Amino acid sequence: MTIPQLYSALAEGGPAVLGMIAVAPLLIGGLALLLNLVGQRGLSQGLCNLGIIAALTTLVVEIGAIFYATQHGVNVLEEADVLLLGLPLWLIVGSFVVEHLLHPGKQENIRQQIRAVLLVLITVSVLFFILGRLKMHMVIFGSIVGFILFIIAIVGVLYWVMRKVV
């Protein structure tokens, strides 16, 4: 099954499928609350972190599907369901709210993991965009060392931005 087929199946499933996915943070939160009340705080926090990872994965899949669709001539704004486009953002917000309510505090461990994933995704996306648009003139008229330093500078700037944001 490809990503466009997955999104088509979700869109054809109607409001029931979207509703079931939309309550996923609440279900994870309820289960994590039960685990927390029983005394399994570590397992509860792991379940909340798994919910955050799943939510971020849906966002990455959606962004990939949007890029794929636009490269193949599909106008996403005209053809995609608004609820389907907004669902990953709802999942992310819901997952973070559940995590914050059940386990208040700094949560530095999950922040480091999220920072690393976001840094890799953003860096790869920016490099893909730049290298896709870059002409060979930079390598031909410059040097390969200059090109590598350019890439390292981009990664460094993105790392600095991610450290400030997350």
Side-chain angles (χ1 to χ4, degrees):
M1 174 179 274
T2 63
I3 292 174
Q5 290 171 343
L6 173 68
Y7 269 84
S8 296
L10 286 175
E12 290 170 3
V17 172
L18 293 177
M20 289 175 58
I21 294 172
V23 298
L26 300 175
L27 294 175
I28 289 174
L31 187 58
L33 179 63
L34 288 175
L35 288 171
N36 202 9
L37 293 175
V38 172
Q40 298 289 328
R41 183 170 171 80
L43 194 57
S44 171
Q45 191 167 13
L47 183 63
C48 287
N49 292 344
L50 182 67
I52 291 172
I53 291 168
L56 290 173
T57 302
T58 60
L59 182 66
V60 169
V61 168
E62 181 174 67
I63 290 171
I66 289 171
F67 281 136
Y68 178 82
T70 55
Q71 288 179 352
H72 287 84
V74 176
N75 189 352
V76 177
L77 295 177
E78 289 180 2
E79 298 184 27
D81 188 12
V82 174
L83 292 175
L84 193 60
L85 290 176
L87 192 61
L89 296 176
W90 162 253
L91 291 175
I92 290 172
V93 169
S95 298
F96 274 107
V97 167
V98 165
E99 169 69 26
H100 178 70
L101 291 176
L102 289 177
H103 307 104
K106 284 198 75 145
Q107 305 294 334
E108 191 57 36
N109 290 337
I110 188 66
R111 282 178 165 244
Q112 289 174 347
Q113 294 171 0
I114 291 172
R115 186 181 299 131
V117 168
L118 287 176
L119 179 64
V120 168
L121 289 176
I122 290 173
T123 302
V124 167
S125 300
V126 169
L127 287 176
F128 178 76
F129 177 77
I130 289 174
L131 294 176
R133 303 281 187 265
L134 187 67
K135 304 293 182 194
M136 289 304 290
H137 303 292
M138 182 174 183
V139 178
I140 293 171
F141 294 120
S143 66
I144 194 69
V145 174
F147 178 70
I148 291 172
L149 289 175
F150 175 70
I151 299 297
I152 290 172
I154 289 173
V155 171
V157 167
L158 290 174
Y159 179 76
W160 180 79
V161 168
M162 289 307 301
R163 291 290 296 177
K164 294 293 180 185
V165 172
V166 178

